[in-house]
Amino acid sequence: TQSGLGLLSGTPLAEHAAQTFNITLVVTDNYDVRVTQSFDIEVVNVNDFPQFSSIPYLLITQDIKYNYDITVFDPDFGVGLNTDQVSIKAIGIPSWLQFSTSNVTTTANLTGTPQNVDTDISHFITLVATDSNYKRATQNFYLNVVNVNEAPLIESSPLLIATQNELYRYDIVVSDTDFLTENPDEYLIYTFENLPDWLSFTNSSSS
């Protein structure tokens, strides 16, 4: 007798899981005599890692609202009778950002508006998605807040009357919210127009 050999092989993917494939093998000789073999192959699901399918914005400008709609995909969703669920949490978010999740377990949201004091800072944020079988995915990113330069503010009011032979004094107070940033790099320059020769100016502090 002469033997025939063959090999049936392949690798099922997640979309094939929890399915049964009915296969019939037919072998025919050169006299058209055939034999058949029927069998079922059941593909057992293996729990997969969830995956982040959204990409965060990495740059935000002061006084402009930041919004990141977070979405997660899990290959196990919809596979047979699988009841896998995913929870999402955020680590390292600044106080001006609010994190929320919806009743749909694969979505969450980061939103907020940075103020002047929140600028010039790079926040390292980690998002963690964990499924029911404790398999997890992480998304790490740096969120950078850009400062918007704002005009200084003169907070003091001058004396409008000076008396001959008596010292006139005006303590000038100026504020600038840009000095509140994490890494202030600006300074103030004082200039005067129509200053009489009997007045002189002394700068005691650039801030």
Side-chain angles (χ1 to χ4, degrees):
T1 58
Q2 182 179 0
S3 298
L5 298 176
L7 174 66
L8 182 68
S9 66
T11 304
L13 303 178
E15 59 263 31
H16 306 128
Q19 300 183 58
T20 299
F21 297 87
N22 179 259
I23 299 172
T24 298
L25 169 65
V26 180
V27 180
T28 307
D29 66 13
N30 58 316
Y31 293 102
D32 201 28
V33 176
R34 66 181 59 190
V35 64
T36 62
Q37 182 185 65
S38 297
F39 56 96
D40 294 332
I41 296 179
E42 180 183 357
V43 180
V44 178
N45 181 55
V46 175
N47 187 57
D48 293 290
F49 286 91
Q51 305 164 18
F52 283 93
S53 52
S54 56
I55 299 175
Y57 300 102
L58 303 180
L59 201 64
I60 177 64
T61 302
Q62 167 196 332
D63 299 325
I64 295 180
K65 185 177 181 179
Y66 177 85
N67 188 77
Y68 174 29
D69 290 319
I70 304 161
T71 56
V72 174
F73 168 72
D74 192 322
D76 297 307
F77 286 148
V79 176
L81 300 176
N82 192 289
T83 58
D84 206 9
Q85 293 185 334
V86 174
S87 62
I88 307 172
K89 68 177 182 179
I91 302 171
I93 60 174
S95 59
W96 58 269
L97 265 183
Q98 291 80 48
F99 174 76
S100 61
T101 57
S102 67
N103 54 359
V104 180
T105 60
T106 55
T107 62
N109 179 263
L110 275 176
T111 187
T113 304
Q115 305 301 313
N116 192 275
V117 295
D118 305 311
T119 61
D120 293 336
I121 303 175
S122 183
H123 302 282
F124 182 71
I125 296 174
T126 298
L127 301 177
V128 181
T130 307
D131 69 12
S132 303
N133 293 289
Y134 304 103
K135 283 194 173 180
R136 64 182 57 188
T138 59
Q139 184 179 73
N140 299 313
F141 60 96
Y142 284 96
L143 178 59
N144 299 285
V145 184
V146 178
N147 179 56
V148 175
N149 187 55
E150 298 177 78
L153 175 66
I154 300 176
E155 298 184 349
S156 54
S157 298
L159 296 174
L160 301 180
I161 297 177
T163 303
Q164 175 187 337
N165 298 327
E166 292 185 9
L167 177 66
Y168 173 89
R169 180 187 178 101
Y170 171 30
D171 292 312
I172 303 169
V173 179
V174 179
S175 64
D176 191 327
T177 56
D178 293 309
F179 285 113
L180 300 175
T181 63
E182 185 73 12
N183 299 296
D185 60 355
E186 69 179 50
Y187 55 88
L188 302 177
I189 300 172
Y190 299 80
T191 59
F192 294 85
E193 297 177 0
N194 304 318
L195 191 70
D197 58 7
W198 58 269
L199 279 177
S200 62
F201 172 73
T202 302
N203 182 12
S204 61
S205 173
S206 64
S207 61

